Amino acid sequence: MRLRGNRERKKPPKMNMLIFRRVFVYNIIILLGALCLVLIMTFRFVLEERGSARVDLLQQISEINTTNRSTMIRVMGHLYDKLEPYFASADAPDADEVDALLGEVQEQAAAFGCDYTIDVVLNDKTVYSSYEHSDAWLKSMMQSYWYIKHFSGESVTSWNLRVQDAQNLDSYSLCYAHTLYDGQGKPIGVILLGASPSSLFRSYQKMSAADSTIYILDENGIVISHSNPSMIGVWLYTTEAFSQQYALDSYTLTQKAGRELMVSNYRDPDSGWIFVEEQPLGDFFLSYGKISLLTLLIVMLAFLLSILQSYWSIRRISRPLIGCARHMALIRNDHFPPMTVKRQYREVEVLSEGYNAMLTRIRNLIASIKAEEDEKRRIEFAFLQAQINPHFLRNTLMSVKGLVVTGNSSRALETLSAFMDMLNIPIKADLYGHSLHDEIEYVRRYVTLMECRYGREFHCAVFVEDGLERFMIPPLILQPLVENAIFHGLTARDEDDGAIVITACRCAGSIVLSVEDNGGGMPPGQLQRIWDPEEGHKRSINSIGLKNVLSRVKYVFGERSHIDVESEEGRGTTVRIVIVQEENANENPDC
């Protein structure tokens, strides 16, 4: 059983669209890769530039404060030279003279734009100062670590922070301390030169970014300046711990208190102070986002230009190939137009020239094959036609010979006369030898000849549909069927009511020629073996009659044309020649 698919085979995609889709996908992949690479490189570049810029900023702040520190050191040197004679002797210095000296130095510093405070704190808790101070401050200072180092003589100079009121930023001051010695070189106190944070450290606040935090750690890791006053004086790190966590003179991305920060730092080589800035990455990503958006727009624009250029290039390249494919598709319809040679590209030129050369070759081959097939069919048809004629002549002459031998000379003469009448109708060995009308006339005379031969009447009725009389058929296509009907059907009956009915009609896109007799018919087994090659040697209905007619019908009208045989024992046989004329015609019409 043959299964027919209801769904059409899926057509392959067009070449230009296939190439464009692949180029589009490749461009998307390249775009995503390039975009990721550009964003990463841009991020690292912006991060490097931003981090380096913040480190440079801290270095500038350090340089500004280096100038201020140098000024304080020079002032301290001048002040020490002034105070040292007062405390070198064993006698106690005059307090008024010391206070006057402190006021004079303070005024001199103020003339140069330096707002300093000056204190002299002796080990016996005697204090000489240019301003009022609290006893709590004095007690706190004398218990501090840096003062103990001066008291013991371990330190000569140091930087420290003086805090009088923790709630007041103006009460904070960065102090430069110098140990005071007596005439024997024994430490007897400390000279403190303090600078107001408002004048010394607020310069960096103008240089810092919004929401960023800048603070300064001294060489001991104590915060000596901070944008948050409550952090001043807090010990955060040791220098070693800070350098392990953050690379000195560099920047680091870190997380602190749930916030992503970029921590930049710079260590002053002279003082050992570390200037630190903590900047939230939100500000950084804001500036980075603008750059990323601009980069994204540029990449997208380049991508669109690439897609348009790719589409235009693919279309321009594929257009001649599509034209070649359209020309080649016409071969399916047996149409062979030559292809215009396209010279845009060397490959297309070779393809079009090769196609035209192949087309010429195919035309020549088709013409040669057609001529050979026509000649072959003519030779085969002539052979089949020549096969029919000797068979018919032999049977007729054998019948006449039998009549002469039996002494029935009158019937022999009558048979010869009928045979000569038949020969008056010319039989051409051609594919379309004569019309259906001529074939039927030939059959009528053949039936007359058979009646003379057997001395009995065979009733022959002919029914032809209007318009089919001129239908051209090969000669002797119905005569073998009538001959089989007489020899193998009607002669088996003893009665004189033997009948043959010849019918020609159109049915379901085909022309059906049928020969029906009311003879003895065939049993089912014999009907099944009718086309068996081995049986063809036993009965003439197979050996020459039907097979010869079938071969000629297929040669002339095509392989779809065929012969159907129906027979019922005791009731007769019907042979139909079905000539298929339409492609969608029913191969087994029920007429």
Side-chain angles (χ1 to χ4, degrees):
M1 181 177 179
R2 178 179 165 185
L3 298 177
R4 297 182 180 179
N6 295 327
R7 294 180 301 177
E8 295 183 356
R9 184 174 62 89
K10 185 178 180 181
K11 295 182 179 180
K14 293 183 178 180
M15 180 185 64
N16 56 347
M17 295 305 300
L18 179 62
I19 297 176
F20 180 73
R21 284 200 297 266
R22 292 186 177 180
V23 170
F24 184 80
V25 172
Y26 295 154
N27 281 341
I28 287 291
I29 295 174
I30 295 174
L31 171 66
L32 293 177
L35 190 59
C36 293
L37 182 61
V38 168
L39 291 178
I40 292 174
M41 296 300 294
T42 304
F43 176 80
R44 294 189 63 85
F45 174 77
V46 173
L47 181 64
E48 179 68 27
E49 290 295 318
R50 188 63 174 268
S52 300
R54 303 317 292 179
V55 173
D56 293 340
L57 174 64
L58 295 176
Q59 183 177 1
Q60 294 175 17
I61 295 175
S62 173
E63 291 173 354
I64 292 174
N65 285 278
T66 298
T67 302
N68 294 332
R69 290 196 308 271
S70 299
T71 302
M72 290 182 69
I73 292 173
R74 289 196 299 270
V75 172
M76 176 61 77
H78 175 71
L79 180 61
Y80 187 83
D81 292 340
K82 292 285 187 179
L83 291 175
E84 195 270 337
Y86 287 95
F87 296 95
S89 64
D91 299 332
D94 185 80
D96 294 334
E97 292 181 1
V98 174
D99 291 337
L101 177 61
L102 297 180
E104 179 185 353
V105 174
Q106 188 176 22
E107 290 178 359
Q108 292 176 356
F112 290 97
C114 299
D115 185 13
Y116 295 142
T117 62
I118 303 174
D119 298 287
V120 178
V121 181
L122 301 180
N123 295 341
D124 58 4
K125 296 184 181 181
T126 302
V127 177
Y128 303 92
S129 179
S130 61
Y131 65 98
E132 295 293 332
H133 54 77
S134 63
D135 294 336
W137 168 78
L138 177 62
K139 182 179 180 181
S140 175
M141 185 199 68
M142 298 189 73
Q143 292 176 353
S144 63
Y145 176 71
W146 66 267
Y147 180 81
I148 294 174
K149 293 180 68 175
H150 282 275
F151 177 77
S152 63
E154 183 178 350
S155 297
V156 177
T157 61
S158 69
W159 293 92
N160 57 81
L161 189 68
R162 187 188 72 178
V163 180
Q164 290 204 27
D165 184 2
Q167 303 301 322
N168 184 9
L169 181 62
D170 291 335
S171 68
Y172 287 66
S173 62
L174 181 66
C175 295
Y176 180 63
H178 194 292
T179 303
L180 183 62
Y181 299 93
D182 60 10
Q184 288 78 29
K186 180 180 178 181
I188 59 175
V190 176
I191 304 174
L192 294 175
L193 181 64
S196 173
S198 60
S199 62
L200 183 61
F201 297 105
R202 285 182 181 175
S203 59
Y204 68 78
Q205 294 180 354
K206 299 179 181 180
M207 305 175 66
S208 63
D211 297 332
S212 65
T213 301
I214 296 182
Y215 55 92
I216 302 174
L217 302 176
D218 66 6
E219 66 275 12
N220 298 314
I222 299 175
V223 178
I224 59 177
S225 178
H226 202 289
S227 56
N228 182 5
S230 62
M231 293 297 297
I232 297 177
V234 176
W235 183 47
L236 291 182
Y237 310 90
T238 64
T239 304
E240 181 180 357
F242 185 88
S243 62
Q244 290 178 354
Q245 185 171 355
Y246 308 104
L248 295 178
D249 301 336
S250 181
Y251 64 91
T252 305
L253 298 181
T254 186
Q255 188 176 27
K256 181 183 293 186
R259 301 175 63 194
E260 297 291 336
L261 302 174
M262 182 175 70
V263 179
S264 306
N265 71 89
Y266 175 76
R267 183 176 183 273
D268 183 72
D270 296 329
S271 63
W273 292 359
I274 300 177
F275 295 77
V276 184
E277 180 188 33
E278 295 179 355
Q279 181 183 5
L281 284 183
D283 298 338
F284 169 75
F285 282 124
L286 181 61
S287 60
Y288 170 71
K290 295 179 181 179
I291 297 176
S292 300
L293 180 60
L294 179 60
T295 303
L296 179 61
L297 292 177
I298 295 175
V299 173
M300 290 300 297
L301 180 61
F303 172 73
L304 292 177
L305 293 177
S306 175
I307 290 297
L308 292 176
Q309 193 276 337
S310 299
Y311 177 78
W312 180 81
S313 299
I314 292 171
R315 185 175 180 182
R316 184 171 181 269
I317 293 173
S318 61
R319 185 178 298 171
L321 294 177
I322 294 175
C324 293
R326 289 175 179 172
H327 275 280
M328 292 180 179
L330 297 176
I331 297 179
R332 301 177 182 175
N333 303 323
D334 296 333
H335 184 51
F336 302 95
M339 183 186 299
T340 303
V341 177
K342 304 179 185 299
R343 305 189 184 278
Q344 293 95 327
Y345 306 100
R346 176 57 182 166
E347 293 78 4
V348 178
E349 180 182 5
V350 173
L351 180 62
S352 55
E353 290 180 347
Y355 172 81
N356 288 336
M358 178 188 68
L359 198 62
T360 302
R361 180 61 177 165
I362 289 175
R363 286 175 176 172
N364 295 335
L365 289 175
I366 290 176
S368 176
I369 292 173
K370 186 175 181 181
E372 292 177 0
E373 288 294 325
D374 289 344
E375 183 64 22
K376 179 181 177 181
R377 293 177 67 182
R378 290 181 181 276
I379 293 173
E380 291 180 350
F381 186 82
F383 171 76
L384 293 172
Q385 189 67 39
Q387 187 182 29
I388 283 291
N389 289 336
H391 172 70
F392 166 68
L393 293 175
R394 178 180 178 278
N395 288 342
T396 302
L397 295 177
M398 288 294 295
S399 299
V400 173
K401 179 181 178 182
L403 293 174
V404 172
V405 171
T406 58
N408 196 346
S409 58
S410 59
R411 287 182 60 188
L413 182 60
E414 185 178 359
T415 300
L416 286 174
S417 298
F419 179 61
M420 294 176 64
D421 289 339
M422 284 187 62
L423 295 180
N424 288 331
I425 299 177
I427 300 298
K428 300 178 181 178
D430 197 359
L431 294 178
Y432 300 96
H434 58 192
S435 64
L436 179 60
H437 176 271
D438 293 338
E439 179 72 11
I440 291 175
E441 288 299 319
Y442 189 84
V443 169
R444 290 182 187 275
R445 297 193 182 188
Y446 175 75
V447 172
T448 301
L449 175 63
M450 292 297 102
E451 290 176 341
C452 294
R453 174 181 174 183
Y454 288 102
R456 54 186 291 188
E457 184 178 0
F458 299 110
H459 302 283
C460 181
V462 178
F463 301 94
V464 180
E465 185 178 328
D466 293 341
L468 291 181
E469 294 86 351
R470 296 184 180 180
F471 181 69
M472 303 300 291
I473 60 174
L476 299 179
I477 195 173
L478 294 179
Q479 184 273 334
L481 305 184
V482 173
E483 181 180 355
N484 286 334
I486 294 175
F487 285 164
H488 305 289
L490 301 183
T491 55
R493 299 174 61 94
D494 296 332
E495 299 85 355
D496 292 335
D497 59 351
I500 299 174
V501 179
I502 301 175
T503 305
C505 64
R506 291 184 177 89
C507 183
S510 301
I511 295 178
V512 180
L513 308 178
S514 66
V515 177
E516 181 180 359
D517 67 74
N518 60 350
M522 291 180 288
Q526 182 179 354
L527 181 62
Q528 294 177 358
R529 297 192 302 271
I530 194 171
W531 300 108
D532 190 349
E534 297 297 330
E535 294 291 328
H537 299 289
K538 301 177 182 179
R539 296 175 63 108
S540 61
I541 186 172
N542 292 332
S543 61
I544 295 180
L546 285 179
K547 288 187 177 181
N548 186 289
V549 172
L550 178 61
S551 298
R552 288 187 291 149
V553 166
K554 287 183 177 291
Y555 275 126
V556 176
F557 299 107
E559 291 296 325
R560 299 186 64 194
S561 300
H562 55 277
I563 293 179
D564 295 333
V565 180
E566 296 179 4
S567 183
E568 186 177 352
E569 191 173 9
R571 297 179 63 91
T573 302
T574 301
V575 180
R576 295 187 183 92
I577 301 175
V578 181
I579 301 173
V580 180
Q581 291 187 310
E582 298 179 7
E583 292 185 0
N584 58 350
N586 186 0
E587 296 184 358
N588 296 290
D590 185 12
C591 298

